[in-house]
Amino acid sequence: MSMSIFESNQPRDGFPRPFPDTPSNVLEQFKMAGKVVVVTGSADGLGYAVCEAMAEAGGNVAMWYNSNDVAVQKAETLASTHGVKTRAYKIDVSDGEAVRKAIADVVHDFGKIDVFVANAGMAISKPILDTTLEEYRKQMAVNVDGVVLAAKYAGEVFKRQGTGNLIITSSMSAHIVNVPVDQPVYNGTKAFVTQFGKSLAREWREFARVNIVSPGFFDTKMGAGPESVHEAYRMAPLGRQGHVKEIKGLYLYLASEASSYMTGSDVLIDGGYVLP
């Protein structure tokens, strides 16, 4: 029901809220010193680039990974290189009890969670008629359940702390139908987490910010496959896939105080792929 001009112009208790007590200097706003950041899917690709960004800015990083034990050594390297605290946790993000316990473990080990980056994902690029039910359920478990479970249990921490920041890795595939390879299940999972993140931004408005990153093709294992790589070059106005170093600044911006007036946003970083 819409309001009249008179009704909508009445003062509301508690508004306007105060500006945040953050630095005026923009470089200071980007610093993550003393912050604790959890990153899922952190062993390589975009996830590890995010971990690098947070450590380079002085943040402490809890690296969650599923099967690639190289994350353990990478965590140690980040700690020694940047003088921050890190730890690797082997977690199946689709297992609710494992996620709940891992979040409790991070709080025990680090004392708090300032930022949770729900980045873990997987793709089985097949038409629906060629996709098995097991393949469908696997993608839903990692891409959808993994984000929902992270939000549920990290959100409890954020609410208890009175502050928090959730960043969800979605995809440009939430905005378009990829060609020439059909992948309706993957696209659907990403559309879910994008809308889910926007909904959380409102639900958590009293204690946490929530934003979404929608990458296009990056030169990683999750990037364009042999069947679609040349079309990826053609479709992107920049004429190439992205390098992982080119996404670090965006995640740092969203994780840091520099983005303190930003919530519910879905940021495309795709070399212009979705423009045509």
Side-chain angles (χ1 to χ4, degrees):
M1 178 177 172
S2 62
M3 291 184 175
S4 67
I5 294 176
F6 173 79
E7 290 170 328
S8 64
N9 199 33
Q10 299 306 302
R12 296 172 60 196
D13 291 342
F15 293 90
R17 294 172 178 166
F19 297 125
D21 183 19
T22 55
S24 295
N25 182 285
V26 68
L27 294 181
E28 292 294 322
Q29 292 174 12
F30 278 92
K31 292 182 178 179
M32 295 294 291
K35 303 290 187 182
V36 176
V37 185
V38 180
V39 183
T40 69
S42 64
D44 55 21
L46 297 185
Y48 183 63
V50 173
C51 294
E52 286 184 312
M54 302 305 156
E56 288 163 358
N60 303 309
V61 186
M63 297 175 59
W64 286 20
Y65 70 100
N66 180 42
S67 58
N68 191 349
D69 292 327
V70 72
V72 177
Q73 180 57 52
K74 286 185 173 181
E76 294 173 358
T77 300
L78 286 180
S80 61
T81 301
H82 302 290
V84 297
K85 181 176 179 178
T86 65
R87 185 163 181 173
Y89 300 78
K90 192 169 187 175
I91 304 296
D92 176 358
V93 297
S94 67
D95 182 332
E97 180 57 24
V99 172
R100 184 199 64 77
K101 182 179 183 302
I103 286 177
D105 288 343
V106 172
V107 173
H108 176 268
D109 296 338
F110 288 82
K112 61 176 180 174
I113 298 175
D114 294 292
V115 184
F116 195 106
V117 182
N119 170 75
M122 55 98 55
I124 300 174
S125 297
K126 290 183 177 181
I128 189 62
L129 298 183
D130 296 334
T131 301
T132 68
L133 290 180
E134 181 181 0
E135 290 171 333
Y136 157 74
R137 293 184 181 116
K138 186 174 183 180
Q139 290 181 87
M140 293 295 292
V142 175
N143 296 356
V144 173
D145 295 351
V147 173
V148 172
L149 293 168
K152 177 172 177 58
Y153 294 114
E156 291 177 353
V157 175
F158 293 163
K159 186 173 183 179
R160 185 167 66 245
Q161 294 174 164
T163 184
N165 186 347
L166 175 66
I167 303 170
I168 297 171
T169 300
S170 183
S171 172
M172 70 174 183
S173 300
H175 296 257
I176 60 167
V177 175
N178 294 58
V179 294
V181 176
D182 293 311
Q183 50 183 39
V185 174
Y186 177 81
N187 297 351
T189 64
K190 292 305 182 178
F192 179 102
V193 297
T194 294
Q195 183 67 3
F196 180 66
K198 291 179 179 181
S199 300
L200 290 181
R202 183 192 183 281
E203 179 182 331
W204 293 359
R205 61 194 180 278
E206 300 295 337
F207 59 86
R209 296 191 294 119
V210 183
N211 289 291
I212 304 104
V213 176
S214 289
F217 287 120
F218 277 75
D219 189 14
T220 69
K221 290 187 296 185
M222 288 282 287
E227 304 91 342
S228 58
V229 67
H230 294 291
E231 183 69 355
Y233 299 155
R234 187 188 73 80
M235 287 285 288
L238 294 186
R240 59 178 174 85
Q241 297 191 87
H243 190 286
V244 292
K245 67 184 179 183
E246 296 178 289
I247 206 167
K248 292 163 71 172
L250 174 55
Y251 279 91
L252 178 58
Y253 171 69
L254 294 176
S256 72
E257 293 175 333
S259 62
S260 57
Y261 193 54
M262 193 167 180
T263 195
S265 292
D266 173 19
V267 185
L268 277 160
I269 178 166
D270 65 349
Y273 189 102
V274 307
L275 290 174

